Each structure stands twice: as structure tokens, then as C-alpha cells.
Amino acid sequence: MERIGFLSFGHWGPGQGSRTRTAGEALVQGIELAVAAEELGVDGAFFRVHHFARQQASPFPLLAAIAARTHRIEIGTGVIDMRYENPLYMAEEAAATDLISGGRLQLGISRGSPEPARQGASAFGYVPLDGETDADMARRHTEVFRKAITGAGVAEADPRYAGAATGLLPVQPQSPGLAERIWWGAGTRKTAVWAAELGMNLMSSTLLTEDTGVPFHELQAEQIQLFRDTWQAAGHSHEPRISVSRSVLPIVDDEDRRYFAGSALRDGRDQVGIIDGFTARFGKSYVGEPDRLAEELAADSAVQAADTLLLTVPNQLGVEFNAKLLGHLARHIAPSLGWIPSNR
């Protein structure tokens, strides 16, 4: 395990016990947690993007603010739903954020997950073309975005206002190296193979929208191996990155016991359900004493196969609690997986 990071869904609301009651608090606390994580030696601060919900929705202002407050930690998304995106405007925002960070942006994108709004992307002005599915539209937006961040021309120059230039103009700014730091959030083995063929890194979460009857971590490890094999066969010139997400909640003190000791998350089993008409397998949560969690994660074949572990955090418990949680993970669990703090 080369890197660990946190993944925040950026929930906010007035629920009982919430320490993140407004959108403003969620944003400011996201910045503060990233600063605290960097001080602990954690490698990444990632945020989920979800529309029409009380969660983080527009990541680039948040990531740019974190970039301006930090120096080393990677900043990223897990993931941006490409059905909703103007790919050229997104290319400009991503490049600007990456330049502010000094090349630390790790951008997770995908077709996205079910949203609270029916046909929500159409409210943003994006509707599939004739014969397209929502997934096809997301991939079309992705293709345009990826070309734009490599400097490909996308709009015809007007010589009257472009210094007599002709041909196609690229969007500006450009950030060298950003194209190699795009991750595809793959929910199946098939989409992982597709991402590898195109040279995108692999971001795999605690959910796969397929089920073969084997434990979640074994199915995810198979997905990772297929990705690696396809990447090698494609002959890409750079090494891929692979991340998996896990919910890891160490119980160390009375506060932790109050929140998690009686939680149903301690069930310790995968769950199977239906999402968008497909059978999906959800990975288990890891809840308990640090020594036991270290042993369980060491036996997780997908965690062992990935180079980056993203730890989902209960962000509504506030910065102080989540910084403590990350500290326990960094001191008592991650080193047993081979991880070395970046601030050492």
C-alpha cells in the first residue's frame, strides 16, 4: 500500500448530532480536514460529487481552496458524474485547479451513480443523442474532456481576433501531466477493461454492479487483475494507479464506542442488492479494534492488489473527530499494510 487518502461525501444537514449543518460548513470543514490530513502524513483528500442532494456538488472551488492551503497532499474526486458536465469548461477548471496545486490533482470521473433527480442531467442541459444511453453520453463527454486536456484543438480560430492564427484552438489553460492523472470509476470488470484500454487509472469503490457469488474483495481483486492485464497488453508508456475504497472505523476510545460499538456496520458481511435493475454487491465495513482491523485489511485481496486506499469518513461528525480517526488509521492500521507516512 503506497498511499492512503480520505474520501468525503460532504454530507450536510440539521440531523441529530450533525456537526456539519450547512453547505458552507461542509466546504470549510473539507478544507480544514485536508490540512489536518496532510499534517498526519495522509496522502490524499478526495471528495464525492453528487447532484440534487445535500452533499458536495461543485468540486473545483473546494479543491482549489485546498490546493492553496496545502503543499503535498493529493487532491481529487471520487467521482465526477460525466453525464452532468460540459467537457470543455470542465477541462479549463481542472487545468486551473491542477496548476494552483502544482500538479497534485487526481481526477476521478465516471458514468455516475443513481441520483435523487429523475433525468437530472437533462436539467443541466445534457440529453443523450438518438440511440445513446446515459452511459454513452458520459463516455462521449469523457472523450471530449480527455482530448481537451491534452491540448487538442477544439474550436476554429478566427484570424481577426486570434493574431492571424488559423486552424483549431485548444482550451486554456493547459496543465502538463494532467491527462495521466484521470481515473475512471469502474463498477464492473468490463468497464475496468475499457478504462485500461484507454489509459485511465482505475478507481474502484465499495460497490460493484455485478455479482458472481464470491466475496466482494475477491471479485474486486479479479477486476483489478483484468485491468492490469489489459493495461500491459495495451502498451501504455506510464504505470497505472489503482485505488479501492473502504469504510474503516477503528474503535479506540469511549467516543468511538458511542458512535460505532452497536452499529449494524459491525455485521462484517457483504450485502447484495439491486441498483438500476442490476444485481450489485456491496463490500463490508471494517469496524472494531485497530489490531483486528489491520488483520482483516491484510486479508482483503483487493486492498492488497491496489496501490491506493481511500478511506470513507463520516464527515458530519466534524473535523476534530475525523482527524482523530485518520490519526488512528495512520498510526495503528496503515503501517501494517506497508504504508509509510508522507511526512516522515
Side-chain angles (χ1 to χ4, degrees), residues 53-241:
R54 290 180 172 181
Q55 295 178 236
Q56 304 290 6
S58 52
F60 292 108
L62 173 61
L63 296 177
I66 292 172
R69 289 278 308 277
T70 58
H71 305 282
R72 175 195 51 78
I73 197 168
E74 293 181 338
I75 56 175
T77 53
V79 291
I80 293 175
D81 187 333
M82 293 301 290
R83 294 175 296 175
Y84 285 76
E85 295 298 321
N86 178 317
L88 298 185
Y89 182 57
M90 179 177 165
E92 293 176 342
E93 288 195 312
T97 302
D98 195 43
L99 290 169
I100 292 170
S101 74
R104 290 183 280 139
L105 183 63
Q106 303 287 341
L107 204 60
I109 63 176
S110 86
R111 171 253 187 248
S113 60
E115 297 278 352
R118 182 180 290 113
Q119 302 298 323
S122 66
F124 278 55
Y126 304 116
V127 179
L129 302 175
D130 290 343
E132 269 191 337
T133 65
D134 278 0
D136 294 332
M137 179 174 69
R139 293 187 183 205
R140 173 166 51 85
H141 287 180
T142 298
E143 180 181 7
V144 175
F145 167 74
R146 293 184 68 225
K147 286 182 178 178
I149 61 173
T150 63
V154 295
E156 185 176 354
D158 185 336
R160 297 174 300 169
Y161 306 110
T166 59
L168 296 177
L169 298 175
V171 297
Q172 297 291 351
Q174 292 286 313
S175 186
L178 176 59
E180 294 186 1
R181 288 179 273 113
I182 305 302
W183 307 58
W184 186 259
T188 65
R189 291 163 295 174
K190 182 179 179 180
T191 50
V193 167
W194 174 80
E197 289 172 343
L198 295 182
M200 288 187 282
N201 301 300
L202 175 63
M203 185 172 281
S204 193
S205 71
T206 55
L207 164 69
L208 291 172
T209 53
E210 58 182 346
D211 181 37
T212 63
V214 303
F216 174 83
H217 72 99
E218 293 181 12
L219 181 60
Q220 192 174 48
E222 180 183 346
Q223 180 197 46
I224 291 170
Q225 189 59 53
L226 287 169
F227 173 85
R228 289 193 188 280
D229 292 343
T230 304
W231 186 283
Q232 184 175 8
H236 299 302
S237 60
H238 61 286
E239 289 296 315
R241 293 274 303 274

Side-chain angles (χ1 to χ4, degrees), residues 45-57:
F46 288 74
F47 296 86
R48 179 72 167 88
V49 179
H50 220 83
H51 300 288
F52 298 108
R54 290 180 172 181
Q55 295 178 236
Q56 304 290 6

Side-chain angles (χ1 to χ4, degrees), residues 250-253 256 290 323-335:
I251 297 178
V252 175
D253 57 28
D256 301 332
K324 182 190 73 170
L325 182 151
L326 291 174
H328 291 325
L329 289 161
R331 287 188 293 272
H332 305 304
I333 298 174

